[in-house]
């Protein structure tokens, strides 16, 4: 049984990764990430990046997921961050986008999208500012000049 491909429309920055290589300027000549806080290419970049954002934006530093209420506190802290990492491309070697909003396409039927409503939501929820704050904290400079709507697939 295989994975079914699915589509996503997301607002943010493509960071690359996986087999396609990183789409950021913070790389070594060999294409590895070159960030002051990310030392091992075999470490999970997203796990460490999320922990850094949780600590710097929401003040969340807990690591013991077995403590009662951990998940609720982590979810509340994640909501304060307002961005997430969205995997796309090959499921074995995914690429990543830093996103402020994601719409998943349904396998069963098309999803109607009102672009004017999305634009109002972008402004009201300060997506651009949230993305900029996250990029600054992560010390990441995407090759993409500005945040944009990204049409991505996974599966």
């Amino acid at each position: 049984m295989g994975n079914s491909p699915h589509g996503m429309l997301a607002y943010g920055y493509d960071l690359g990764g996986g087999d396609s290589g990183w789409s950021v300027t913070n790389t070594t000549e060999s294409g590895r990430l070159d960030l002051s806080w990310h030392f091992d290419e075999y470490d999970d970049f997203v796990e460490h990046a999320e922990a850094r954002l949780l600590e710097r934006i929401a003040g969340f530093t807990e690591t013991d997921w077995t403590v009662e209420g951990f998940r609720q506190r982590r979810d509340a802290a994640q909501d304060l961050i307002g961005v997430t990492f969205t995997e796309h491309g090959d499921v074995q070697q995914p690429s990543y986008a830093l996103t402020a909003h994601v719409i998943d396409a349904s396998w069963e039927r098309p999803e109607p999208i009102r672009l004017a409503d999305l634009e109002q939501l972008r402004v009201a929820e300060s997506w651009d500012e949230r993305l900029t704050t996250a990029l600054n904290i992560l010390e990441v400079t995407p090759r993409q000049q500005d945040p944009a709507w990204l049409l991505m697939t996974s599966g």
Side-chain angles (χ1 to χ4, degrees), residues 39-90:
F39 303 104
D40 186 345
E41 70 175 296
Y42 300 106
D43 280 350
D44 185 349
F45 164 76
V46 170
E47 179 181 331
H48 291 279
E50 286 176 341
R52 186 172 173 90
L53 293 175
L54 283 167
E55 178 182 348
R56 299 282 176 94
I57 294 174
F60 184 84
T61 58
E62 292 181 55
T63 57
D64 187 354
W65 58 271
T66 63
V67 173
E68 186 174 335
F70 172 86
R71 188 171 309 275
Q72 292 85 353
R73 289 188 299 278
R74 181 180 164 86
D75 289 349
Q78 185 65 42
D79 288 344
L80 291 174
I81 293 171
V83 298
T84 190
F85 292 91
T86 303
E87 290 186 5
H88 63 93
D90 187 307

Side-chain angles (χ1 to χ4, degrees), residues 10 12 22 32 34 39 47 57 61 67 76 80-81 92 122-123 128 141-142:
W22 292 101
R32 295 182 181 159
D34 187 17
F39 303 104
E47 179 181 331
I57 294 174
T61 58
V67 173
L80 291 174
I81 293 171
Q92 300 299 321
R122 181 189 70 81
V123 172
D128 293 358
T141 306

Side-chain angles (χ1 to χ4, degrees), residues 12-33:
Y13 289 94
D14 179 30
L15 302 179
D19 287 337
S20 64
W22 292 101
S23 297
V24 300
T25 62
N26 314 71
T27 56
T28 64
E29 286 184 24
S30 64
R32 295 182 181 159
L33 284 176

Side-chain angles (χ1 to χ4, degrees), residues 90-152:
D90 187 307
V91 294
Q92 300 299 321
Q93 292 291 320
S95 293
Y96 304 98
L98 180 67
T99 58
H101 190 78
V102 179
I103 300 168
D104 282 307
S106 169
W107 183 259
E108 293 83 24
R109 63 182 183 282
E111 180 72 30
I113 296 173
R114 292 185 33 89
L115 295 177
D117 292 347
L118 289 173
E119 179 60 16
Q120 287 178 349
L121 195 58
R122 181 189 70 81
V123 172
E125 294 183 358
S126 305
W127 294 350
D128 293 358
E129 292 83 3
R130 290 175 182 230
L131 289 162
T132 298
T133 298
L135 290 173
N136 289 336
I137 289 170
L138 297 174
E139 303 168 10
V140 170
T141 306
R143 289 197 181 108
Q144 182 183 323
Q145 293 292 321
D146 297 305
W149 286 102
L150 307 169
L151 184 58
M152 304 179 293

